[in-house]
Amino acid sequence: MATPRLIRPVTTPFSAVATVPGSKSITNRALLIAGLATGTSNLSGILDADDTRAMAQAIVGFGARAEVDWNTGTAKVTGIGAAPMAGPLTLDANQSGTTGRFLLAVAATGSGAITIDGDEQLRSRPVGDLTDALRDLGVRLESTSSTTELPIVVHADGLRGGEVQLPGDVSSQFASAILLAAPLSKEGVALTLSGELVSTPYLDMTVEVMRAFGATVDQYDGSKFVVAPGGYVACDYVIEPDASAASYMLAAAAITGSTVVVEGLSPLSLQGDVEFAEVLAQMGATVRHHGNSFELTGPSVLAGVDADLRDFSDTVPTLGVVAAFASTPTTIRGVGFIRNKESDRIAATVTELRRVGIDASETEDGMVIRPGPLEPAVVQTYDDHRIAMAFAVLGLRNPGTRIADSHCVAKTFPEFFAALDALHPDREPLVIVIDGPAGAGKSTVSKAIAERLGLMVLDTGAMYRAVALSALERQIDLGDWEAVGELTKSLRIELDGSDVRIDGTDVSAVIRTAKVSQAVSVVAANPHVRDVLKHQQRAWMSAQGGGVAEGRDMGTVVFPDATLKIFMTANIEERAKRRAAESVDFSFADALADLRRRDEVDSSRAHDPLAEADDAVVIDSTDLSVGEIVDKVVDLLGDLVRP
Ligand code: DC
């Protein structure tokens, strides 16, 4: 499993124009409609993400022609028009909810057996209300499991149309699916939503995109839609930036007292999620609109809110995270239905807020968040992009926040972490190196500094120890430099906090035994080993985007351009005392002898010996506490880390 991604805290307020990709919801509606239309449409502002690629693939799957340039976000789509899709045909929606649901309804307008499938996560998301509605419209459906879950075979014979009802408080994707299919029906469709309505802005969005492509839709009271038959006509269409994606950038500004501008979005947007900015305004943020752009500035103190998010529920995790930094509690209401999203988003948000130390609790239709002090944690993401992105924002103000399986953001915002990073004024990675002899206190101090600044530690000594252990276990002659060098290349050494694994096996304890301590100096003198490990150390640092590296040659060889170089020393008796205290293997006398020997070997070896970098700050830890040393380091970093 990939190392959880560390989020670098924001230390000074910033002012930035956010990069926000095109709207996922509009992209998928426009792609589908263009794929069904008569003629060739030119789309721009298309989002490149897993979900939109799923839709693009699906429309090609049912016979449309699509030339998509994902780099420029443009597409030329020639729709199937008067030649409805014909089975046998299988269309795979992968993980995309809109793709799966929309296709299910649209498939009914074709002919023959058309199978709609998705990945495991999508298969487990129920579609029973939609299949019931399709049956009411006379569509014959069949499923290998139950007709409430994909895969489902639509035995299509053209959609006659007629009157149909759907509950208003389930996924609006179901209603959108029926609406999208409706212009392709023979008699038109009258759709009534019963009961309470949720996510109505998504229905308005569906209707607006349909109208842009020539459909005739009449809407009454927000709950009744009458769609005339007649199909879709191609057009040129510009997709707005994604308002849900923008919510993370706005939240980032809100919690750090910064300013963020999002271009291409106005209060008149088709996307309900623009409302999120209004909630932040209620919490104390200043929101300005300049024509087609939003500007939001975070307040010095955020207030809690009581907010009903039923119309823009994708922003629930984002608001949950912002609420953690408010001065008073927040209640989120009206969103019981988001338990069926990529994750149970109520449970996920509450669980992860608790993990970072916030007192949060679930309610039937939302949650309550009582702000308090936060703590570092590895946030779990449940393969849900919105949980990953929301908690990444939290990490901007909570040092030590790491995001597990962070790649799941690709579902809707593959460049999310780059976009978040780009908001920081101090974009250069913070690399702190701590070199010095054994027992100088490097490990303890590195951990304490890392904790204070929200960074990860790279214990390079542990890497040399891991190689020494493996060589001993395989009975490789330590003096055979070539052989030990080859061994180093073949090992997968993973460092995770103070845990060390070799090819998946936890060796954190064994590498600290006297036997390994004795062997490691020889291994560390081997230039082949040093070369392999040096590249791994640099790769680790760039993957983490900064960190605290401790060792012997961090400042001199591995990270010559580090932000701050510390060389730690302590007198040898003090070091021997510390060593003897932390290991059952060593008496004071043993420790003293061992240190003398290792100091000698480490500093006299030919390759990358232990040495002070010219620009290192020397700290003698003999009479200093860990806290004093950390304060000194924070002081040396100055404005780079001042909150
Ligand atoms: O810090 P430590 O005691 O865990 O380091 C183990 C050995 O590895 C030690 O003898 C020095 C060597 N080492 C090195 O040569 N270069 C480094 N960057 C880190 C450790």
Side-chain angles (χ1 to χ4, degrees), residues 342-353:
E342 283 84 336
S343 68
D344 174 341
R345 283 197 181 139
I346 294 178
T349 305
V350 165
T351 306
E352 298 314 307
L353 282 171

Side-chain angles (χ1 to χ4, degrees), residues 199 273 309-317 335 337-338 341:
S199 309
D273 283 13
L309 262 61
R310 76 188 58 212
D311 286 343
F312 43 108
S313 63
D314 273 351
T315 63
V316 168
V335 293
F337 60 97
I338 67 169
K341 292 288 185 170

Side-chain angles (χ1 to χ4, degrees), residues 3 24 38 42 47 80 117 353 426 447 449 517 519 582 602:
T3 308
K24 177 185 90 162
T38 303
N42 292 298
L47 166 72
I80 55 175
D117 204 351
L353 282 171
D426 47 341
K447 277 189 204 125
I449 292 172
S517 293
E582 75 195 17
D602 287 347

Side-chain angles (χ1 to χ4, degrees), residues 246-381:
S247 80
Y248 308 108
M249 303 300 156
L250 299 178
I255 65 168
T256 59
S258 302
T259 298
V260 153
V261 175
V262 178
E263 286 170 349
L265 271 185
S266 75
L268 297 177
S269 159
L270 301 184
Q271 302 169 76
D273 283 13
V274 293
E275 283 290 316
F276 180 69
E278 293 311 314
V279 177
L280 294 179
Q282 281 173 42
M283 298 178 85
T286 309
V287 180
R288 293 185 195 85
H289 306 294
H290 311 281
N292 214 18
S293 77
F294 260 104
E295 181 186 292
L296 183 141
T297 303
S300 49
V301 181
L302 282 160
V305 277
D306 186 328
D308 187 328
L309 262 61
R310 76 188 58 212
D311 286 343
F312 43 108
S313 63
D314 273 351
T315 63
V316 168
T318 330
L319 181 59
V321 156
V322 173
F325 299 99
S327 55
T328 52
T330 287
T331 302
I332 300 177
R333 301 176 193 279
V335 293
F337 60 97
I338 67 169
R339 292 186 188 275
N340 284 323
K341 292 288 185 170
E342 283 84 336
S343 68
D344 174 341
R345 283 197 181 139
I346 294 178
T349 305
V350 165
T351 306
E352 298 314 307
L353 282 171
R354 286 199 185 144
R355 202 186 297 281
V356 296
I358 295 293
D359 176 9
S361 44
E362 295 182 33
T363 61
E364 205 175 311
D365 72 338
M367 65 189 77
V368 178
I369 301 124
R370 296 167 209 86
L374 287 92
E375 53 199 47
V378 178
V379 172
Q380 299 304 304
T381 49

Side-chain angles (χ1 to χ4, degrees), residues 435-436 438-439 442-443 459-462 464-465 512 517 520-521 524-525 530 537 550-554 558 579 598 602 605 608:
D435 289 308
K442 298 188 302 292
S443 303
D459 176 355
T460 59
Y464 287 96
R465 287 171 180 273
R512 311 267 166 216
S517 293
V520 69
S521 303
R530 301 207 71 83
Q537 289 154 7
E550 59 144 312
R552 303 293 187 283
D553 59 339
M554 297 296 102
V558 185
R579 272 284 137 127
R598 284 174 58 192
D602 287 347
R605 66 178 178 230
D608 315 337

